[in-house]
Amino acid sequence: MVGGGGREHAIVRALARSARAPELLCAPGNAGIVSDARCLDLGAEDVRGVVSAAAAERVDLVVVGPEAPLVAGLVDALEAAGIAAFGPRAEGARIEGSKVHAKELMAAASVPTASHAVLRSRDEMLEHLARASYPAVLKADGLAAGKGVIIAATEAEAREAVDVFFVERRFGDTEVVVEEHLEGEELSVLALCDGENVLPLAPAQDYKRILDGDRGPNTGGMGSYSPVPGFDPARTQEIADAVHRPIVDLLRRRGTAYHGVLYAGLMITAAGPKVLEFNCRFGDPETQAVLPRLRSDLIELCLASRRRGGLVGVSAEFTDEWAVTVVLASRGYPGSSSRGEVISGLADAASIDGVEVTHAGTAIEDGEIVTAGGRVLNVTAVGPTPGEARDRAYQAAGLISFEGMQMRADIAARAVERVATA
Ligand code: AMP
Ligand code: GLY
């Protein structure tokens, strides 16, 4: 496993449930993953280091968690060294690495998305903003850890943001995508791809803002739940057919077959689902709510995705239970973030029936588990109804404490309400 966040911990746990009883290694892992896998002191983005460690350890399969090493070509480098890897090659990962490229693919494959323009300079952008409609959404082209999107309510706000991109250059030397603001509710649909076929996993909903009621700045994700009322397997398959399949078909025709997870972040608009973004990997924190419900063997699914056509006849089975993940973040997140705070209550939380605590930003200092900044922990609970899953997750989260801990109180409230009134 490559990576060291909550998503990687959830993937490690799912891999461990495989009938193959794998020996698991993780680079670099964290203070929680170390209980489930042997951690290697290697950065996830250290392509050469990961390749030589995988060779030295005679690893059978490398599963890559984060986008940065995928975009940097880790899978290409592993395959060149004869090591099997799960994830797209660099050319496929560009669907996340460049928003301009993603928009080009969506246009070429007729995938529904917001209308947009690509702006290359301050002057070009100012001219465009004078005739744009508002609110408008401004996005840096490259990877920005979820922080490269500005929603401008008015032209005045958008004009202020121009300098962020072209004067302050917060996102480096970048092109900017300005797109139509879509209204609706967001949905994440992750699908396994084998170069030809698309196998959607159970859908999830992510809570991106730091504060209850979807207020405050965007984060990497403050919680999630799965499944999502109104999106049964048939409806999810329809979305995958309209959104993921045309992209996989296009990339195959272009000679760059896509293998791995293709994640569509969607807005469910009055005119149907439209793509906000594609990611080239499992979502964080969606994965923490999706994988505990997976009953199929994740290693078999990863291996099948690597073979062209390998997913034919393969299904991904999920339990009928609901899963809710609450993220515990450090003080100051997503702006600054504190670290080194001692965490208490982990064992008590994990001992509650149906609860799993996965680590994101944790470290071990003087034998104690401490925060390491950003999102710190994920508390996931499963239950027969969204209400029970949510109550368990919050009961467990309430047992954990560290100085400055932030958590949203309304994760999965929408699902609880909808299922109760259905
Ligand atoms: P992205 O990184 O492109 O997914 O954008 C991050 C977040 O910004 C999304 O999850 C949405 O909440 C919001 N967003 C992005 N694009 C749009 C859009 N066209 N309309 C409305 N909200 C958007
Ligand atoms: N949950 C958002 C992401 O993984 O990009």
Side-chain angles (χ1 to χ4, degrees), residues 168-185:
E168 182 191 322
R169 292 177 173 272
R170 192 183 296 167
F171 306 103
D173 196 6
T174 184
E175 295 176 327
V176 178
V177 172
V178 175
E179 68 179 31
E180 169 198 6
H181 184 259
L182 299 175
E183 305 286 345
E185 212 170 283

Side-chain angles (χ1 to χ4, degrees), residues 119-130 138 158 161-162 165-166 176 178:
L119 291 320
R120 295 183 171 81
S121 70
R122 188 169 180 276
D123 288 347
E124 229 180 73
M125 188 153 164
L126 287 171
E127 193 191 318
H128 177 82
L129 293 177
L138 286 44
V162 171
F165 294 109
F166 291 114
V176 178
V178 175

Side-chain angles (χ1 to χ4, degrees), residues 326-329 341-352 355-359 362 369 371 376-380 392-407:
V326 177
V327 170
L328 311 183
E341 307 292 355
V342 175
I343 304 171
S344 66
L346 286 169
D348 289 342
S351 72
I352 296 179
V355 169
E356 168 173 86
V357 179
T358 46
H359 290 228
T362 62
I369 296 185
T371 65
V376 176
L377 295 162
N378 309 117
V379 181
T380 299
R392 275 183 195 166
Y394 277 109
Q395 186 196 347
L399 297 173
I400 298 176
S401 67
F402 55 85
E403 195 54 41
M405 182 172 111
Q406 302 189 76
M407 119 180 129

Side-chain angles (χ1 to χ4, degrees), residues 36-49:
D36 297 289
R38 178 151 61 87
C39 291
L40 304 175
D41 188 14
L42 269 176
E45 289 165 48
D46 178 357
V47 171
R48 282 171 58 188

Side-chain angles (χ1 to χ4, degrees), residues 99 114 137 139 149 151 179-182 186 208 218 267 276-277:
K99 296 208 185 277
V137 182
K139 302 183 177 184
V149 174
I151 298 180
E179 68 179 31
E180 169 198 6
H181 184 259
L182 299 175
E186 289 184 49
K208 291 226 162 67
N218 255 358
M267 190 69 89
L276 296 172
E277 64 166 344

Side-chain angles (χ1 to χ4, degrees), residues 4 83 90 92 139 183 208 261 263 266 295 330 344-345 352 413:
I83 300 161
K139 302 183 177 184
E183 305 286 345
K208 291 226 162 67
V261 173
Y263 161 139
L266 303 159
R295 282 301 158 264
S330 51
S344 66
I352 296 179

Side-chain angles (χ1 to χ4, degrees), residues 206 208 220 263 277 279 281-286:
D206 173 17
K208 291 226 162 67
Y263 161 139
E277 64 166 344
N279 293 324
R281 49 162 176 89
F282 284 103
D284 190 344
E286 290 92 331

Side-chain angles (χ1 to χ4, degrees), residues 116 211 373:
H116 80 289
L211 299 173

